[in-house]
Amino acid sequence: MEQILYKCDDFKVGSWVGGSVKELAIFPHNAQYLNRDFIWRISTYDMEAEEATFPRLADYDRILVVTEGEAVLSYEDERISRLAELEQDSFDGQWKTTCFGKVKSFDLAVRKGSQGYVDVLFPEKESRTFPVPAASEAKNQTHAFFCLEGYCLVSSKKGSTMVKPGQILILEYEDDEPADYSLMGEGKIIRSMIFFNDMEELMGPETIPAEKPSFDDFRCCIYLANTQFKWAPYIVKSLREMWFTQQLSKAIKKIEKFYIPTLVFFIIAMITGILVMKHGGTDGQVILAILIWFVIDCLLISPLIYMCTVPKPVRKHMKKVSQLTPYEQRIREEELGRNERLEKIMKKYKNSGKNLGRDE
């Protein structure tokens, strides 16, 4: 079990079209909201506009609790919900959700495939336990206590922790460890309960431990060095059925960015041709010498250049499309939909027109 108390200075504060947002906690702790690489996220929203549409979270389910005021939530083509203070509603993050009313709210976003619950607790002066929903077969669970008013003393195997207004206490349980805690105090506490299994394959790249170079790595580098030309996917069938990890792709781009293998080939080819001609070689002998150099370059020199740069073991960074994890499939789809040429043009001219007016 792990325990973390977040205070007001620990929160990330941002803005959105409807007002301001405060991120109270996120998991994994190094996840970024904009990257959509989190399993769960707890935040508060301060609606400063009479009408505002929430950003869509396609892969998440959400629970919203009104903490101040009254709100009407409109889910386009789905339904409408009216919420008074401390009332809540659950909805699909993919839905176009519009909030009417200047209210303050508490929000829990949970990755689909996990379970999330929110309730409002009213602790008393005597310590007591509160019921916990039965989690399906989830191995991990997180219980979070956000102090809305008053105070709360949470007691667990880690000891007792005081949670003051605006603070949030996170209790993390792993590997089927049962949640065991009690509360006492006074005021209003919003409790979040999240049940989830390990989701590394869904949330992020696979960790591939580095290994010492081997002959198999060199064989893979021969393949890589000779398939980095424009029409390779149309000629080499296996290339169409393969995906390179981001780490490997980055290494390849680093090599090809400065045309290192191409420059090495042409420089040595010119030197070879000149040397053969200086020793009285015929045109045929010059062509033969360059062809021999071409074979040496393809089977030895260029692969060695790749060998010095790409991550090892190389083969583990070369994956069949049919065997990709959900995260890798998402990255591959993004790569297929990317127009690198257009991105370069946009980057080149991103500063042009800075002094021109813009539409509001």
Side-chain angles (χ1 to χ4, degrees):
M1 173 197 167
E2 296 295 332
Q3 175 177 294
I4 307 172
L5 176 65
Y6 291 109
K7 300 181 180 180
C8 297
D9 292 340
D10 300 320
F11 303 147
K12 294 181 180 179
V13 180
S15 60
W16 64 300
V17 293
S20 60
V21 58
K22 186 182 297 182
E23 182 180 282
L24 307 181
I26 195 168
F27 185 84
H29 304 299
N30 61 347
Q32 298 291 326
Y33 169 75
L34 293 178
N35 294 340
R36 305 295 195 262
D37 58 354
F38 58 92
I39 294 178
W40 58 260
R41 178 181 185 253
I42 298 174
S43 57
T44 59
Y45 285 83
D46 191 347
M47 318 290 187
E48 300 170 0
E50 286 289 353
E51 177 183 340
T53 300
F54 286 111
R56 296 196 185 195
L57 294 174
D59 298 321
Y60 296 86
D61 292 318
R62 303 178 68 173
I63 301 175
L64 183 144
V65 181
V66 173
T67 58
E68 185 177 313
E70 295 184 352
V72 173
L73 298 180
S74 173
Y75 310 106
E76 186 178 50
D77 299 327
E78 296 294 338
R79 58 185 172 84
I80 294 176
S81 178
R82 182 182 295 275
L83 300 177
E85 190 169 305
L86 298 185
E87 291 185 339
Q88 64 173 273
D89 196 20
S90 303
F91 55 96
D92 192 323
Q94 171 62 30
W95 292 351
K96 181 181 178 182
T97 303
T98 303
C99 178
F100 298 90
K102 293 184 178 182
V103 299
K104 294 183 179 180
S105 66
F106 176 93
D107 182 87
L108 171 65
V110 178
R111 169 72 70 163
K112 291 184 184 297
S114 303
Q115 296 172 287
Y117 303 91
V118 174
D119 56 9
V120 181
L121 307 180
F122 301 90
E124 301 174 353
K125 293 183 178 180
E126 294 185 2
S127 181
R128 56 175 291 203
T129 59
F130 291 86
V132 176
S136 54
E137 298 179 354
K139 294 176 57 180
N140 310 313
Q141 54 180 306
T142 296
H143 294 249
F145 306 91
F146 176 64
C147 185
L148 192 61
E149 292 180 12
Y151 73 92
C152 179
L153 187 68
V154 181
S155 299
S156 66
K157 64 173 62 177
K158 290 286 186 177
S160 297
T161 303
M162 177 72 73
V163 187
K164 298 179 180 180
Q167 298 180 350
I168 187 168
L169 177 68
I170 308 294
L171 302 182
E172 298 177 349
Y173 299 90
E174 298 180 346
D175 301 324
D176 298 317
E177 181 183 8
D180 184 14
Y181 56 81
S182 61
L183 280 70
M184 65 178 295
E186 62 180 15
K188 302 173 184 176
I189 307 297
I190 299 181
R191 178 176 64 165
S192 302
M193 295 164 284
I194 306 106
F195 303 89
F196 59 96
N197 288 309
D198 296 328
M199 304 177 74
E200 289 84 355
E201 290 187 349
L202 180 64
M203 305 309 303
E206 176 188 359
T207 300
I208 303 176
E211 296 181 7
K212 293 182 179 180
S214 65
F215 180 70
D216 184 64
D217 291 325
F218 184 74
R219 289 173 56 190
C220 292
C221 287
I222 293 176
Y223 176 86
L224 292 175
N226 292 284
T227 55
Q228 299 309 308
F229 56 93
K230 185 176 181 180
W231 305 107
Y234 302 98
I235 299 174
V236 184
K237 182 180 178 180
S238 60
L239 203 59
R240 299 195 297 270
E241 302 171 351
M242 192 173 297
W243 180 79
F244 300 154
T245 65
Q246 291 173 293
Q247 191 177 359
L248 178 57
S249 295
K250 185 177 180 180
I252 293 174
K253 288 181 179 178
K254 184 178 180 180
I255 296 171
E256 297 296 329
K257 180 179 179 180
F258 301 103
Y259 304 100
I260 297 174
T262 303
L263 290 173
V264 170
F265 170 76
F266 280 110
I267 290 173
I268 302 300
M270 289 175 61
I271 294 174
T272 300
I274 292 171
L275 290 176
V276 173
M277 291 176 65
K278 279 189 175 181
H279 287 81
T282 63
D283 292 344
Q285 291 174 327
V286 171
I287 294 174
L288 179 61
I290 293 176
L291 287 174
I292 293 173
W293 160 243
F294 175 77
V295 174
I296 294 173
D297 179 72
C298 290
L299 299 179
L300 182 62
I301 304 303
S302 288
L304 283 175
I305 294 174
Y306 274 78
M307 190 75 172
C308 294
T309 308
V310 297
K312 291 85 170 174
V314 183
R315 193 172 298 279
K316 289 186 178 181
H317 289 270
M318 303 166 60
K319 300 189 174 186
K320 291 184 178 180
V321 173
S322 59
Q323 298 176 353
L324 299 183
T325 66
Y327 172 83
E328 291 168 344
Q329 290 174 354
R330 178 159 57 89
I331 295 299
R332 179 173 178 269
E333 289 174 359
E334 292 176 359
E335 291 173 347
L336 292 175
R338 183 179 302 154
N339 188 328
E340 293 188 0
R341 183 180 179 185
L342 179 60
E343 289 178 0
K344 289 180 180 179
I345 295 174
M346 295 297 291
K347 184 177 180 180
K348 181 178 180 181
Y349 295 101
K350 67 178 181 179
N351 293 324
S352 55
K354 272 192 171 181
N355 297 322
L356 298 177
R358 64 177 184 178
D359 294 333
E360 295 294 342

